[in-house]
Amino acid sequence: MRKMTFIAVTFGLLMVATTQAQAAGCIKGAIVGGAAGHLKHHALAGAAVGCVVGHHLASKKQKQEAEQRQQQQQQH
């Protein structure tokens, strides 16, 4: 029963995350967090936290790339 619940919730999170434009990193984070949380019997919490952390890291990376592009444009 827990396995089916885990699969259903993970699938639901993936479907919601893929439909939102600002969900960058959430899918990867949810998968990793869900897998790690599953080992400790807290898959849902792991997936939720993984989504948040993944989104944060993706946003941070996106800002850094934008800054690098801006600096390269200023140099030319």
Side-chain angles (χ1 to χ4, degrees):
M1 184 69 179
R2 281 187 175 193
K3 187 174 183 178
M4 290 301 294
T5 303
F6 173 74
I7 291 170
V9 170
T10 302
F11 182 75
L13 285 172
L14 292 175
M15 293 302 292
V16 169
T18 57
T19 59
Q20 296 177 357
Q22 57 182 323
C26 181
I27 295 171
K28 183 190 277 184
I31 291 170
V32 172
H38 180 68
L39 296 174
K40 297 290 185 178
H41 305 291
H42 294 289
L44 298 178
V49 171
C51 178
V52 171
V53 171
H55 180 70
H56 172 73
L57 293 175
S59 296
K60 187 176 175 181
K61 181 179 176 182
Q62 201 172 36
K63 286 179 186 178
Q64 289 175 345
E65 290 173 352
E67 288 174 2
Q68 287 176 350
R69 281 192 302 267
Q70 187 178 23
Q71 288 175 356
Q72 288 175 351
Q73 288 176 353
Q74 289 175 352
Q75 290 176 354
H76 294 279

